[in-house]
Amino acid sequence: MMPRSFFTVLPLVFAAACGENGNHGDTPKDAPAPQIDAGAPDASCFTDPHTYNEIINACTTAVKVYKDSHPPLLNADGSLPPLP
Amino acid sequence: MRSLAFLIALAITFPHRAHAATCDTLPNPVYLQVGDTQLNLMKRLGRALRDNTPKPITLVFLTSGSCSNIAAIYTPVVIKAATSLQYVPSVAEDATWTPSSATLTCTLAGDVVPDIANSVLFNSACTSSPPPATVNLTQGPAQGYVMAVPTASSQTAITFEEAYFVFGFGAAGMIAPWIDEAQMYIRTITKGTLLAWAANITVPAAKWKGVMLDASQSVVTGVATGPTSAIGILGAEVYDANRATMKALAYRAKGQYFAYYPDSSSSSRDKKNIRDGHYTVWSPTIWMDSVDGTGAPVKPDARYVIDLIAGKTVTPPQNFGMIDIIAAVGLVPDCAMNVNRSFEGGPLSLYRPAESCTCKFESLVDTSSCATCTTSCTTGVCRNGFCEDH
C-alpha cells in the first residue's frame, strides 16, 4: 500500500527498480520527454500492492519504458473520443 | 528477402503430406481443435505423449479461431470426414523430428466432434452463453499477447491511448509511425489474439482497422518483411518463436506509469511482467472436453491431456516434465502466476496458486534463486526439486 518514488536521469528506458527517495502518492502525468541531464518525471511505485492500480504500478526490477505520449485526437480532459 | 521469408514461413506453417494415414489408425488418438497460437504446444506435448510409455496418446489436431473452437464443442460442430489433421511422429517413427520440423498429416475417416476444444481467452469474450452441462471447462496456462514491429523500427513502446487510436481510427488516428492501415496486421474477429487485444484497448473486434489475417504466421510474415511503419498483433509464444525477425513493443496500460514488456526486459523470456501484473495483456487458456450426465469425462484420455496442460497430477504419471514444455513454448503455468482476472481485459488482482511452481518455472526461463531439494526444505515445500514458498 505504501508508494515509494524514485528519480532517475535515464531517458526513455528505466532499468532500475524503485528507489528510496521519499513518498509520493500522486499518479504522475505525462511530461515532456526527459533529457539526459534533466530530472525525469517523479514516478511512484508501490511496495505492497493490493489494488489493480497498485499492482500495475508496483515496484519492480523489470525494465520500465517511459513514453511521452500526446495523441492528437485525445480530448482536452484526457478522455478518449468515441470510435468512428 | 521478402520472398525468402515467405517461403520459410510456408515451410514452417504447412505440414508434410507424406504420411496420409487415416487418423483412427494412430495409437490412441485424441482429437483437438485449438487456437493456432497453441501449435508449438501441440508439437512439443504431442511428441512427448507419443512416447509417454505409461500412457501413449496421439494428439490429432487442427487449428482454428477460439470462438469457432468454443462453438465446435458447445453446439457441437463436427470435423468432417476427409479433413486433413495434424499430428507429430513418435521417436520410433522419426527420431530426427524436432519441434521446428513440420507436423505430419492424417485424414479423418469419419466425422468427429473434437474431444478437446481450446480457447486462448475467456469464453465469455466469444459468447455470452454459459457452457452446456455436457462440457467441462478447465483453465490452463496463461498466454500473453504482444504488438510487434520490424526489428528496424525505432519504436520501443505503445500506450493504451495510442493503441486505441491506431487500431480504432487507423490512419485518421495520427499516431506516427502507425498510420498506414495496409501495414497494420491484425486477425479475424473469431481469433483470440484480436479479441484479447480488443478487450484490453477497448476497441471492439468489429471496429478494428488493418489487414485481417487468418493465421498468426501471416502476421509474422507481414511484420517481419514490412517497412518500419508495420505493426502486428501476436500471441507472445508466437512472437517468442520469431524473435529474430521482429521485436515486441512494451505496453503501457491505462493508468500505468510506465510501459512494460511481457518479460523483464526485451531480451529475456521469463514472463515476469505477465506473472506479476506489470504486463496486462494476457489471458488464461481454456480447455474443454465433454462430460456425461454424472460429470465424468466422456473420453478419459482427453481429460488426461487437459489435466496435464493444467498442471494437475495424472494417473499414470507422465514420463516427461510438463512445466518444461509449458515454459519452452512461452506460456506461463497457472502455478507460476501471482495475479489473475475474471474476465477478458478485466482488472488484475493478487493470486496465490494452491501449489506454487515459481522456482521451477524460473529455473527454466531464467535463473532461480530458490534452494534446491530432494525431499524436504528448511523453509517452504520441496516440489519439482526446488523449495517453493508454498
Side-chain angles (χ1 to χ4, degrees), chain B residues 82-104:
Chain B
T83 300
S84 181
L85 302 181
Q86 301 181 63
Y87 72 100
V88 299
S90 66
V91 170
E93 290 172 349
D94 185 353
T96 64
W97 189 91
T98 71
S100 61
S101 305
T103 53
L104 306 182

Side-chain angles (χ1 to χ4, degrees), chain B residues 343-368:
Chain B
F343 61 91
E344 202 60 39
L348 303 175
S349 56
L350 296 178
Y351 176 62
R352 181 180 167 90
E355 294 186 347
S356 174
C357 64
T358 294
C359 296
K360 172 66 175 178
F361 181 76
E362 290 185 342
S363 76
L364 295 167
V365 296
D366 188 15
T367 55
S368 174

Side-chain angles (χ1 to χ4, degrees), chain B residues 24-275:
Chain B
D24 58 344
T25 63
L26 296 166
N28 302 323
V30 170
Y31 297 97
L32 302 96
Q33 188 166 324
V34 302
D36 79 347
T37 57
Q38 304 303 296
L39 176 60
N40 291 326
L41 175 64
M42 291 296 100
K43 284 181 159 185
R44 287 181 184 265
L45 179 58
R47 177 70 158 186
L49 281 169
R50 288 299 309 270
D51 296 310
N52 183 37
T53 309
K55 192 177 187 64
I57 289 173
T58 305
L59 300 184
V60 183
F61 63 94
L62 64 77
T63 62
S64 188
S66 289
C67 299
S68 302
N69 300 344
I70 293 168
I73 201 162
Y74 275 22
T75 305
V77 179
V78 299
I79 306 172
K80 294 287 190 185
T83 300
S84 181
L85 302 181
Q86 301 181 63
Y87 72 100
V88 299
S90 66
V91 170
E93 290 172 349
D94 185 353
T96 64
W97 189 91
T98 71
S100 61
S101 305
T103 53
L104 306 182
T105 61
C106 62
T107 303
L108 207 52
D111 294 355
V112 299
V113 173
D115 299 316
I116 297 175
N118 155 252
S119 172
V120 295
L121 75 173
F122 285 98
N123 288 15
S124 57
C126 285
T127 174
S128 57
S129 300
T134 54
V135 175
N136 179 73
L137 274 57
T138 302
Q139 184 167 319
Q143 169 168 308
Y145 297 95
V146 303
M147 291 192 176
V149 296
T151 51
S153 171
S154 62
Q155 302 300 307
T156 57
I158 189 167
T159 70
F160 159 78
E161 293 83 3
E162 289 174 340
Y164 177 84
F165 286 115
V166 170
F167 292 103
F169 288 71
M174 296 186 285
I175 305 294
W178 304 302
I179 51 176
D180 182 354
E181 293 177 24
Q183 295 298 332
M184 293 159 51
Y185 299 101
I186 64 174
R187 304 294 304 283
T188 51
I189 61 172
T190 63
K191 301 297 195 294
T193 304
L194 180 71
L195 292 166
W197 269 112
N200 278 276
I201 67 172
T202 66
V203 175
K207 292 207 167 190
W208 275 55
K209 307 291 187 184
V211 182
M212 285 196 167
L213 298 168
D214 193 53
S216 293
Q217 197 58 45
S218 301
V219 175
V220 170
T221 302
V223 172
T225 61
T228 55
S229 60
I231 187 170
I233 56 171
L234 288 168
E237 75 287 6
V238 176
Y239 165 70
D240 279 349
N242 291 276
R243 286 193 182 200
T245 61
M246 60 181 65
K247 63 181 186 182
L249 295 173
Y251 176 69
R252 189 182 80 191
K254 185 178 183 181
Q256 201 167 24
Y257 307 159
F258 293 99
Y260 294 90
Y261 299 103
D263 307 283
S264 59
S265 70
S266 60
S267 59
S268 60
R269 293 173 182 262
D270 55 21
K271 302 293 175 287
K272 173 180 167 59
N273 292 329
I274 289 176
R275 291 185 285 129

Side-chain angles (χ1 to χ4, degrees), chain A residues 39-60:
Chain A
D42 172 13
S44 299
C45 67
F46 296 88
T47 57
D48 185 20
H50 289 279
T51 68
Y52 172 68
N53 183 64
E54 292 167 357
I55 289 169
I56 63 174
N57 293 302
C59 300
T60 178

